[in-house]
Amino acid sequence: MPRTHIRRLPAAALAAGLALAISACGGESPDTAAAPAAEASSAQLDPNADLSKQSVTVTVWDGYTPKELATEVKAKLKTDLKVTLHDTNEAAMAKLTSGADTGLDVAFVSGQYAQALNEAGLLEPLHPELIPNLANLYPEAKELSYDKGNVFSVPYTWGTTGICYRTDLVKNAPTSWNDLLDPPAEALKKVTMMTTERWLALPAIKALGYSVNTRSDDEIAKVKAKLLEAKPKLLGYDDTTFGDKLKSGEAVMVEAWDGWCPTTEKNIKFAVPKEGSDLWVDTMVVLKSSKNKEAAHAFINYILDPKVHGWAAENILYKVPNKAAMDAMDAKLKAANAPLQMTPSDLLKGESIIDLGEDSVKFTRLATEVATKQ
């Protein structure tokens, strides 16, 4: 299928200011991030519920699901589906944490946001018996540090960040984040890095051997110094048009999310630096306030059908954690896009981004200081 052209940031890339929404709900560490999810479900659900008497209201990013989804859900589940849109994770959080009765049943949010919503007591623990298609997920999809075991969230897409580059315009393929931070002569002033807070910091964090979830003031100070040292060597900071800049030759090497590196173009390739990278995940969650929990679970189960879930991989070129869907993917499309060939074990080499709660402001301050420094 042709790729759907979506002019928006990948969902995970927008997750940087969660502390402003739920400042006290940050995870303490990857190992403790999912701890509050162990609480018992707030309701006993009926596996034989008449779904035709329920409806589902979903909030999701524009273009992230098929346009015909409501019609298809109605035909399959006999359930009315209403799709509402949010542009960013922050916009979704504004809906979900307002205290108002939004009528939402299911939300698509990035992993660290799901973590924070769960810690705030706003999510329904999942009922696996109502989601048999969980069996289609890779085993690695249960190892995500913000929600080990998929207790309160179901992964929808996942990916990583690396270096996207022109093979014909750089002499040597980049292998390190330092190739971006201190580019070779032919790439000087022809390199871009990202503006979104956690991703602006990522190259320097990894080059210095730190965690993507660092809270250390000393480490963040060293990251800032390295970013400022790199700044004069850059073309600029760019989260949205770096692919176009690569195609035109204005840029020869850019920091990029894997699904946004235009590897279908001749002479453009994607590489994960040797120091490692991140693992971002976009998820589906059920709101505790939902009055249609059986239908909400049935909706998630429907999405996990390989033919349905595979739509995301074939249309927006983001990997999905659904083994059956990825196995059924068009071989030519996968061969033409190297990031789609990454295995779950490859992805899990990256660090899951978690919510840092109040410490998120450290990255907000870092990004502002780097961006405004003359």
Side-chain angles (χ1 to χ4, degrees), residues 219-371:
E219 291 183 354
I220 291 174
K222 291 177 181 177
V223 167
K224 175 185 172 183
K226 196 166 186 66
L227 291 171
L228 289 175
E229 183 182 353
K231 186 173 181 178
K233 305 170 187 177
L234 302 178
L235 171 64
Y237 299 97
D238 183 1
D239 282 0
T240 57
T241 64
F242 53 74
D244 294 333
K245 289 182 172 69
L246 275 180
K247 293 175 188 178
S248 70
E250 182 182 2
V252 300
M253 192 161 51
V254 301
E255 180 186 7
W257 299 290
D258 48 0
W260 265 42
C261 180
T263 51
T264 50
E265 298 287 325
K266 184 180 180 181
N267 298 324
I268 295 181
K269 288 189 176 181
F270 178 83
V272 177
K274 62 185 179 183
E275 298 91 351
S277 190
D278 65 336
L279 167 59
W280 60 260
V281 186
D282 292 338
T283 75
M284 299 176 284
V285 297
V286 177
L287 281 301
K288 185 164 287 186
S289 59
S290 169
K291 299 177 177 63
N292 305 285
K293 291 186 175 72
E294 288 90 352
H297 281 74
F299 169 79
I300 291 175
N301 190 62
Y302 174 75
I303 292 293
L304 295 181
D305 180 281
K307 291 182 180 179
V308 179
H309 208 174
W311 179 93
E314 296 203 346
N315 284 271
I316 58 177
L317 300 186
Y318 284 178
K319 291 175 289 296
V320 298
N322 187 316
K323 184 179 187 302
M326 292 300 292
D327 286 348
M329 189 174 182
D330 180 81
K332 291 182 179 179
L333 184 61
K334 186 181 290 188
N337 291 274
L340 289 174
Q341 300 163 27
M342 295 181 69
T343 66
S345 59
D346 289 334
L347 285 176
L348 260 67
K349 292 176 183 176
E351 284 187 274
S352 289
I353 299 171
I354 66 168
D355 169 43
L356 298 178
E358 294 178 342
D359 286 330
S360 293
V361 299
K362 296 180 180 181
F363 283 90
T364 302
R365 185 165 54 245
L366 168 70
T368 300
E369 292 172 351
V370 170

Side-chain angles (χ1 to χ4, degrees), residues 2 13 18 34 49 62 99 144 148 151 153 156 192 218 303 334-335 349:
L18 185 54
D62 190 15
L144 303 170
K148 289 189 176 181
V151 178
S153 65
Y156 179 65
T192 69
D218 181 62
I303 292 293
K334 186 181 290 188
K349 292 176 183 176

Side-chain angles (χ1 to χ4, degrees), residues 48-96:
N48 299 311
D50 184 352
L51 300 183
S52 68
K53 295 182 179 180
Q54 297 187 24
S55 61
V56 178
T57 300
V58 175
T59 184
V60 65
W61 297 277
D62 190 15
Y64 225 40
T65 54
K67 291 183 178 180
E68 306 82 10
L69 186 61
T71 301
E72 294 169 349
V73 167
K74 180 68 172 180
K76 182 70 175 180
L77 303 180
K78 312 303 181 187
T79 300
D80 289 325
L81 173 68
K82 178 182 179 181
V83 178
T84 66
L85 302 177
H86 56 258
D87 295 328
T88 66
N89 274 299
E90 290 82 0
M93 293 299 289
K95 291 183 185 181
L96 301 175

